[in-house]
Amino acid sequence: MTPKLHKVICFLPLCLFTFLPSHAQFRLNFGSDSPLRKLQIAEMAITNLYVDSVDEQKLVEDGIRGMLEKMDPHSSYTTVKETKAMSESLNGSFEGIGVQFNMQADTLLVIQTIVNGPSEKVGILAGDRIVTVNDSAIAGVKMPREEILKRLRGKKGTKVKLGIVRRGIKDDLIFTVTRDKIPVKTIDGYYMIRPGIGYIRIGSFGATTYKEFMTCVKELQSKGMTDLILDLQENGGGYLQAAVDIANEFLQKKDLIVYTEGRKVRRHEYHAKGNGSLLTGKVVVLINEFSASAAEIVTGAIQDQDRGTVVGRRSFGKGLVQRPVEFPDGSMMRLTVAHYFTPSGRCIQKPYKKGDKREYEMELDDRYKHGELYSADSIHFDDSTRYATLRRHRTVYGGGGIMPDVFVPLDTTQFTKLHRQLAAKSIIMNSNLKYVDVHRKQLKKQYPTFDKFLSTFEIPQTVVNEIIAEGKKQKIKPQDETELKKTLPYLKTQLKALVARDLWDMSEYFQIMNEQNHIVMRALQEINK
């Protein structure tokens, strides 16, 4: 379970859309018999004649949403605010004060400041609590999170006055922060997992992903990396071009990476240039049921070209391409215009009924109920979806996600019901925040390096006891001693990883958690064969 940090100014879910650049021209027909004319007359009549007042803007937006709801599950409309938030996530930067934070007891607690960011430059530290913004209280007043973020955000160059409470200092501290562009990282973590074996986890595919990826590759190669584990678990996708650029690093010249084709979109192929920096060495790609879109493009290309091994569980199955259609007010419609196909010709879009988004959204739940997450034998592919890889002619299947070469079931002994309930109520996260907040200086002094922390730190039993006690207060109890016994090893590892994340960064978090990740461990076995 990956912890979620909030990066001021906003925290966004991963985007499931793959965008195509727009070059097509289309003509609007407003003839007397045109459906568009009919729609225009209806809007004008409702606005001018309806018995009650009507919000014309909302009326039009509801009309657009109504049309898209009858289509595929990925065509959608976003308001100006939603579009801006999504663009910040994908374009690789936003404008803010530059801190990672979590909310603790109705107070914004700074987890880390962005290196060389505006907050770090004025002296704000990890562990600080932001209690006022421009002399207005944001702590202890039950202010909605969205309102707090709104007050912290602002254009580059504008100033904001922050009131800070710092442990060990009696009076509040006042800092004036000049907002700036803050980079949004799409690489969750990277490190040398074993001698000669690098590990890179990509969280999403945005405008800066390829540049970030190459920086990681060069650093790992300087440390002796010859083989790579590319972790795309829970990667919801993003930009098509970012996926193509990364796949290019692994494939030989003229190797097909992906192609797109639709009713009004001619077939367009993307080929490798042969100039990649990862053309040799073993590659293992990790996926699970939340890997989608651009993540599936990279996975499909490496699998179909027999460049590496895919380990994990069947991916989400999003093979639809959206083209952004921008409106003058800044809102946007993302319209599905094509399917994308892997090099072997597979369309991996899972089946759907037009207009039935609920059934589509419940498909992952159905996988769980049918036992697919626990046994590869429960997955049945139609022979009509059978394809062959391009070099070794291995059998692969389309028709709904990418099936890994090596299936790794979900381990119920790690993710017990007790653990899921404690996590869902944020009891684990809140206990970690409290522990690090109280002991941050002591921990930094005792563990000046991550290597020392990794080899010697153990989460105090008192923290575990507090979590179990808080769970009981909220009526979360283990079914029996056996369940508690199964829960504790993973819980302690997770807590240690969360402490490492708060003292260092996400790479250190994954360095600890991956030793308990069965998919990652199986990837190491594949490389060592």
Side-chain angles (χ1 to χ4, degrees):
M1 186 175 297
T2 306
K4 302 298 182 184
L5 284 175
H6 302 270
K7 292 185 179 181
V8 172
I9 45 182
C10 62
F11 171 68
L12 300 170
L14 294 183
C15 177
L16 285 176
F17 304 107
T18 303
F19 296 130
L20 263 182
S22 178
H23 302 297
Q25 299 287 329
F26 55 91
R27 185 176 300 169
L28 299 179
N29 180 8
F30 281 96
S32 59
D33 295 330
S34 166
L36 290 173
R37 180 61 177 162
K38 184 176 181 179
L39 188 64
Q40 185 183 45
I41 291 171
E43 191 275 333
M44 291 173 64
I46 294 170
T47 302
N48 292 286
L49 300 177
Y50 186 64
V51 62
D52 295 322
S53 61
V54 174
D55 183 336
E56 191 172 2
Q57 181 70 24
K58 187 176 185 302
L59 183 68
V60 171
E61 290 183 347
D62 288 345
I64 295 171
R65 287 193 177 98
M67 288 188 284
L68 296 177
E69 283 172 2
K70 301 299 181 183
M71 297 180 183
D72 66 278
H74 294 292
S75 291
S76 63
Y77 171 83
T78 52
T79 63
V80 177
K81 183 178 179 181
E82 292 167 341
T83 301
K84 183 179 179 183
M86 183 175 291
S87 296
E88 287 172 345
S89 176
L90 287 172
N91 289 337
S93 68
F94 60 84
E95 294 177 352
I97 65 171
V99 298
Q100 294 180 340
F101 71 92
N102 264 313
M103 300 302 295
Q104 183 186 34
D106 198 22
T107 302
L108 190 155
L109 176 65
V110 176
I111 301 299
Q112 288 181 350
T113 55
I114 304 299
V115 177
N116 294 323
S119 291
E120 184 189 67
K121 288 177 180 177
V122 298
I124 293 176
L125 304 174
D128 285 349
R129 289 167 169 78
I130 301 178
V131 294
T132 63
V133 179
N134 290 331
D135 298 323
S136 296
I138 64 169
V141 294
K142 299 188 181 301
M143 182 177 289
R145 186 189 303 269
E146 293 75 17
E147 181 62 27
I148 293 174
L149 295 177
K150 182 180 177 182
R151 291 173 184 239
L152 291 173
R153 71 180 302 166
K155 291 184 178 181
K156 175 182 177 179
T158 59
K159 297 182 184 298
V160 59
K161 186 167 73 170
L162 304 178
I164 299 288
V165 171
R166 181 172 293 170
R167 183 174 292 277
I169 296 182
K170 183 178 179 181
D171 298 324
D172 290 1
L173 303 173
I174 303 298
F175 294 93
T176 299
V177 180
T178 302
R179 298 182 180 98
D180 203 347
K181 279 194 174 293
I182 309 300
V184 177
K185 292 182 180 179
T186 58
I187 302 291
D188 287 341
Y190 69 103
Y191 65 100
M192 292 297 293
I193 190 168
R194 296 289 188 274
I197 306 174
Y199 168 92
I200 301 176
R201 181 181 173 107
I202 303 177
S204 62
F205 288 89
T208 62
T209 303
Y210 176 69
K211 183 178 179 181
E212 293 177 51
F213 178 75
M214 293 311 300
T215 299
C216 297
V217 167
K218 289 175 183 177
E219 184 175 331
L220 293 178
Q221 286 178 334
S222 72
K223 294 179 179 180
M225 179 184 75
T226 56
D227 305 322
L228 174 66
I229 296 174
L230 179 62
D231 192 346
L232 302 181
Q233 294 179 86
E234 300 175 21
N235 183 315
Y239 285 146
L240 170 65
Q241 190 59 51
V244 169
D245 289 342
I246 286 176
N248 174 75
E249 292 301 312
F250 297 94
L251 302 177
Q252 300 296 324
K253 188 173 183 178
K254 295 186 179 179
D255 278 356
L256 181 61
I257 295 172
V258 67
Y259 67 92
T260 58
E261 192 170 15
R263 183 177 65 92
K264 292 287 187 178
V265 176
R266 290 180 295 178
R267 175 166 170 152
H268 183 79
E269 298 183 351
Y270 296 82
H271 292 266
K273 301 173 184 176
N275 61 348
S277 58
L278 296 164
L279 301 180
T280 60
K282 296 180 181 179
V283 179
V284 178
V285 182
L286 311 185
I287 59 171
N288 62 9
E289 55 276 10
F290 301 108
S291 306
S293 184
E296 293 174 300
I297 290 175
V298 174
T299 306
I302 289 176
Q303 186 180 54
D304 282 5
Q305 296 289 359
D306 290 301
R307 175 61 186 91
T309 304
V310 179
V311 174
R313 293 185 291 276
R314 182 163 66 104
S315 63
F316 182 87
K318 182 188 179 295
L320 299 176
V321 183
Q322 281 70 53
R323 173 169 290 164
V325 179
E326 298 179 2
F327 295 104
D329 65 350
S331 59
M332 182 185 290
M333 175 174 67
R334 283 163 303 284
L335 187 66
T336 297
V337 297
H339 289 86
Y340 71 71
F341 299 83
T342 68
S344 67
R346 288 184 287 170
C347 177
I348 55 175
Q349 173 61 43
K350 62 184 177 181
Y352 63 89
K353 294 178 183 177
K354 288 185 177 181
D356 192 347
K357 288 192 176 183
R358 176 168 174 74
E359 181 179 327
Y360 187 78
E361 290 167 353
M362 293 300 291
E363 191 267 342
L364 290 183
D365 192 51
D366 291 340
R367 294 190 198 183
Y368 176 82
K369 291 177 180 177
H370 296 156
E372 176 183 327
L373 303 185
Y374 308 107
S375 172
D377 293 337
S378 65
I379 307 169
H380 302 287
F381 291 103
D382 192 288
D383 282 344
S384 64
T385 65
R386 183 194 297 264
Y387 292 82
T389 60
L390 302 183
R391 284 178 168 79
R392 295 169 55 192
H393 309 293
R394 297 178 298 113
T395 297
V396 289
Y397 290 92
I402 291 178
M403 187 66 187
D405 303 309
V406 179
F407 179 83
V408 180
L410 186 66
D411 186 358
T412 55
T413 62
Q414 281 188 320
F415 303 102
T416 62
K417 182 180 179 181
L418 174 62
H419 181 273
R420 290 196 302 270
Q421 290 178 323
L422 292 171
K425 291 287 187 178
S426 298
I427 295 172
I428 299 172
M429 191 69 71
N430 289 336
S431 296
N432 166 73
L433 290 172
K434 179 181 176 182
Y435 172 72
V436 176
D437 184 42
V438 173
H439 299 94
R440 185 182 296 274
K441 286 186 178 179
Q442 175 190 336
L443 289 167
K444 281 284 193 181
K445 184 177 180 180
Q446 189 173 353
Y447 303 101
T449 66
F450 174 68
D451 286 341
K452 184 176 181 181
F453 176 90
L454 182 63
S455 60
T456 61
F457 176 82
E458 289 186 13
I459 198 75
Q461 185 62 38
T462 54
V463 178
V464 177
N465 294 340
E466 286 175 8
I467 290 173
I468 302 302
E470 182 60 31
K472 289 180 180 178
K473 285 183 185 178
Q474 299 191 36
K475 299 181 179 179
I476 300 172
K477 299 179 181 179
Q479 295 176 350
D480 49 39
E481 283 299 316
T482 301
E483 185 185 25
L484 180 60
K485 206 170 184 179
K486 286 181 178 179
T487 302
L488 290 180
Y490 187 82
L491 175 61
K492 289 179 179 180
T493 299
Q494 183 184 19
L495 287 166
K496 180 174 180 176
L498 288 170
V499 173
R501 177 206 68 180
D502 292 353
L503 296 179
W504 288 278
D505 209 337
M506 290 300 293
S507 291
E508 287 74 18
Y509 169 87
F510 284 110
Q511 195 162 339
I512 294 171
M513 288 302 296
N514 281 343
E515 297 301 312
Q516 299 290 320
N517 187 311
H518 292 181
I519 294 179
V520 175
M521 291 299 102
R522 185 54 190 271
L524 286 171
Q525 290 179 26
E526 290 300 312
I527 287 179
N528 289 326
K529 276 185 177 180

